[in-house]
Amino acid sequence: VLDYLNRLISGENNAPSLPYGSDVKWMVRDHLLALVQKYPSLTVKDKDYVHNDGTIVHLLLVDGTVPIYYMESKYNIPVEFWLVEGYPNCPPTCFVTPVPGMVIKPHHPHVNGSGQASNGGEARVPTDVFRQRAIEAIKRRLQAVLSDNRKREDDQLLETQMVLLGRSGELEASLQQVNQERELLERRVAELSAANSSLDRWLLENEGKCVAQTCESEMTDIFEADDVLARQALECAAKDAAIEDTLYGLDRALQRNKISIEAYFKQVRLLAREQFFKRALGNLVSDRRTAQLREQEARASSERAAARAASSQFPAVSYGAAPPTGDASAIEYTWT
């Protein structure tokens, strides 16, 4: 019986195919072996079975006799057990096959007129089979749930890691920018401190000049020009103002009859000519000085931009006053 069942279950030597699942075939074999060991009068076979709907399927069959005792007498009842496709989850289909001279009791509670057994005649699936199958189903369900949870957690952790990496880059860029701004501010503070110190020294050197001794010192000694053009512009403005004062004095003298009309017109004509030339020269000097200041500002802006671009590599950069550009000599004109 064992060899026969092994050949059927494994499908060796062109054995007919059985409809049982691959995960229960060997369990079916063990059940049949246990049955024939308990009831040696039973025989295991494989035959075609016809369902009520006419479907034909090749199944395992156990037939023979099963002993029963009735009123202290032993009777061997001929039976057939068909292991249907769903076994062991579904009970086998059982039939009582009476031999000639044997009649099935009409209206029997467990066997119908065709000999098919039901209810009490059903075979019950062993409890350990249900337990094992339940445990396997629970394991598979838990594994699927845990796998899904782990995948979601991995995706969430990966997303969080990407967000943190992005923020890390932003923080590093912000930190670098803050360091650059701090260095620029420190250099600016140093420049302002140096300018403040220079202003304090100038105040100490010039404090008291023409404050209480206006009549003893010239007012022009208070002011110092930065360069030749600035000095020339200051002289032109001073001469223009002096001529304007002289013209005012001539007007007052004429009103008081202190000067003749001929002398008044002669002096006014000379002073107006000189004042025109001084104002024209002052305008030229102012234009030249404005152009120089614009060039210096453009060069300073370019140097600051280059310093900011190079500060990312942390070079040693120092700032100083930009040298004057262009010719700073005085402008000379000959008037005819």
Side-chain angles (χ1 to χ4, degrees), residues 33-178:
L33 290 176
L35 182 61
V36 298
Q37 287 177 0
K38 186 174 182 179
Y39 300 101
S41 58
L42 296 176
T43 304
V44 180
K45 301 177 182 178
D46 59 293
K47 286 185 179 182
D48 291 336
Y49 178 77
V50 181
H51 286 282
N52 294 332
D53 59 358
T55 305
I56 300 176
V57 61
H58 198 76
L59 302 176
L60 287 174
L61 166 66
V62 180
D63 64 354
T65 60
V66 176
I68 66 171
Y69 293 88
Y70 180 70
M71 297 181 67
E72 298 183 357
S73 297
K74 179 181 178 181
Y75 298 92
N76 292 319
I77 307 299
V79 293
E80 288 182 355
F81 301 100
W82 292 88
L83 275 61
V84 295
E85 297 93 319
Y87 185 86
N89 294 327
C90 296
T93 300
C94 305
F95 292 93
V96 177
T97 57
V99 298
M102 182 183 295
V103 178
I104 297 176
K105 182 180 179 180
H107 308 293
H108 194 279
H110 301 302
V111 181
N112 59 22
S114 63
Q116 185 174 1
S118 60
N119 297 328
E122 291 183 352
R124 299 184 179 275
V125 182
T127 305
D128 57 343
V129 175
F130 282 115
R131 184 183 297 111
Q132 182 177 359
R133 285 186 167 275
I135 292 174
E136 292 176 356
I138 292 173
K139 286 183 178 178
R140 287 193 298 269
R141 183 64 180 275
L142 288 176
Q143 288 176 355
V145 172
L146 292 176
S147 178
D148 293 341
N149 291 339
R150 181 176 301 175
K151 186 177 183 303
R152 284 195 297 270
E153 291 177 357
D154 292 342
D155 293 340
Q156 292 176 356
L157 290 176
L158 181 60
E159 183 178 358
T160 303
Q161 184 179 9
M162 297 301 295
V163 172
L164 291 177
L165 289 175
R167 292 180 179 177
S168 175
E170 294 176 359
L171 290 175
E172 291 179 358
S174 300
L175 180 60
Q176 185 176 3
Q177 183 178 2
V178 169

Side-chain angles (χ1 to χ4, degrees), residues 213-260:
Q213 304 174 359
T214 305
C215 57
E216 298 179 2
S217 302
E218 295 291 340
M219 289 295 296
T220 56
D221 294 339
I222 300 177
F223 303 99
E224 291 183 1
D226 292 339
D227 52 25
V228 177
L229 290 177
R231 186 179 303 108
Q232 193 173 14
L234 184 62
E235 291 175 357
C236 290
K239 290 180 180 180
D240 182 20
I243 292 173
E244 191 70 27
D245 292 341
T246 303
L247 290 174
Y248 177 76
L250 288 174
D251 289 342
R252 295 294 300 275
L254 181 63
Q255 292 176 0
R256 296 177 181 179
N257 295 321
K258 298 294 184 179
I259 187 173
S260 65

Side-chain angles (χ1 to χ4, degrees), residues 298-308 319-320 322-323:
R299 176 174 282 100
S301 299
S302 177
E303 290 178 356
R304 286 195 295 270
R308 284 194 297 268
Y319 288 88

